[in-house]
Amino acid sequence: MNALTETRAHRPATEGFLEIRGLTVEHPLRGGRKVHAVTDLDLSIAKGETLGLVGESGCGKSSAARAILQLPRPTRGSVRLDGEELTALSGGALRRARRRFQMIFQDPIASLNPRRTVAEIVSAPLEIAGEGDARARRETVEEMLELVGLDPRHAMDRRPHEFSGGQCQRISIARALVLRPDLLVCDEPVSALDVSIQAQILNLLADLKARFGLTMLFISHDLAVVKNVSDRVAVMHLGRLCEEAGAEALYSDPAHPYTRVLLSAAPRPDPDAIPKPLPMAEGEPPSPIDPPSGCRFRTRCPRAQALCAAEVPPVVPRGAGHGVACHFPLD
Amino acid sequence: MADVAAPMPAAVEDRHAEAIAAHRRRRRLGPMFWIPAAWLVVLILAAAAAPWLGLAPPDEIDWMAIQAPPGVENHILGTDVLGRDILSRVLHGARVSLTVGFAAPAIGVGIGLALGLAAGYFRGWVDEVVGILIDAWLAIPGLAVLLLFSAVFGGSLSMVCLSLGLLFIPAAARITRAQTLSYANREFVLAARAMGASDARILLREVLPNIVWPLMAFVMIDIPIAIVVEGALSFLGLSVKAPTPSWGGMIAEGREHIEDSSWISLIPTAVMFVTVLSFNLAGDVIRRRFADTREAAL
Ligand code: SF4
């Protein structure tokens, strides 16, 4: 158990609804090398809470999401949902457990089968779970479509290409929630959509979350989006956790140099309020095939020192529910 | 792009009306489809109904009309060297040609589909085994196998269908595998897996509906090929046995009389030519339309 565990003392002693411990995802390459997509990630989400997971593209946040959903199973680590170890399930047991955790994908159009009607798409989870007969399923689908703001009479028998991106994402949400899952993982659910539509989809997710008491893992590269929907936010860089805090605390008091960089890059309504941008070394993040030793941010970090190359910074508590993995955090 | 769902604003209604009109326009297939299609429908119906059309049986010898030219009484298309009615023989021969034309591609595509789906979806060792099977199959000279099969098992229609069908497996398997590969990693397949769908369900309900149309286009090419090859086999006497009429057999029987009674060979040749051309023309239109709808869907 690492230091962050102590920072969670303010929460009930029971473990989180979703507990992720030491999650590691590696993709082997030729010649014995491997891509270190996610390394030793610890996360915990309480029931009914939304955790935002942010980072640049390629930082491993999507790999982490898929590993949590066992799509496919992570290389190492533990994923417990409501006390059940998901990595220990296989075959039919895993398929049956899937109704409790669902996912919304980034590309709303690609995530819907072009050759099936909306009614078929949304009722598929019910069929797979063996819920009700055809008529009962159709009624459930109609209700669900109404809940996501689509007119069932208009939508049921059409195919996805007849809908806009935002409408497709509504269909996708209907499909994900039709079995009333406990956990919803949203992987960049609005980044493929027009800005004007993003807010509608985010509001819809917030409504449905309240209605169904969902626990959510919300993944995005966009800090502004994450701040609005999340109770807590975790920042990832090159497969490792950098900082985790309540949404307000993270934005007002970032302690990790990388968090500060991300915040200064995010557009703000009031340009004068930008804290002095932290200079970051130019260039792409290092390759996850051969990540830097010690702190993986050190090649771009303005505060890096010898210790950063020598030792992986542990996650250290900084305040209530605020942890940071940095040898020399900001004040 | 308005995202307001219910009720649809007028602009969206308009867009839909336009899309539907465009769809209808594409729906019109034109004479290049309907004329060949009409020929094929007439031929198929006539072949199916051949025994009940009041024609002379295909093997009945009319001693009064040996080598009669087209137009004589009771024999609209004339008779052959043995005085058998050519129209009756062409229609009965069509049964052989059409059966092979549909059954052989069906067998080949059926087996190729199963192999290609498995290879493209499961990848890994399944893919390798299927790849080796197909390569090995392609390394066997197809025509030699066909001739061997026909020589050994010749005379039975089902053996002709089967041996010809086997020749279509490699291409069907490769097309299916390529299509499956391109769909197996789509997000909607991942979404199905996330719902807890089994592999069988994903293959049948998510992947298959997307590859049926490219495969149909492939079948449309195979049908005329199968008819031509069956024609060649029966010309060589390697298809159905002698009393059963077949187009290739009729052409062969008439070839010695091509100078004095050319119709004996020419009529089955013409019927076969028009039939194969019709399948090709209609197939082209369907393929092109399929390409259009795919573009529209993307
Ligand atoms: S550990 Fe060192 S290199 Fe890493 S973020 Fe902190 S100061 Fe920068």
Side-chain angles (χ1 to χ4, degrees), chain A residues 96-115:
Chain A
R96 280 188 295 280
R98 287 193 182 284
R99 60 175 303 164
R100 299 195 63 189
F101 46 99
Q102 285 293 312
M103 181 162 182
I104 297 172
F105 297 86
Q106 173 171 4
D107 184 337
I109 294 162
S111 64
L112 303 176
N113 191 335
R115 299 215 72 87

Side-chain angles (χ1 to χ4, degrees), chain A residues 256-257 295 297-298 301 303-304 308 313 326-328:
Chain A
H256 196 284
C295 174
F297 187 52
R298 69 176 164 84
C301 179
R303 295 167 76 90
C308 304
C326 175
H327 293 304
F328 309 103

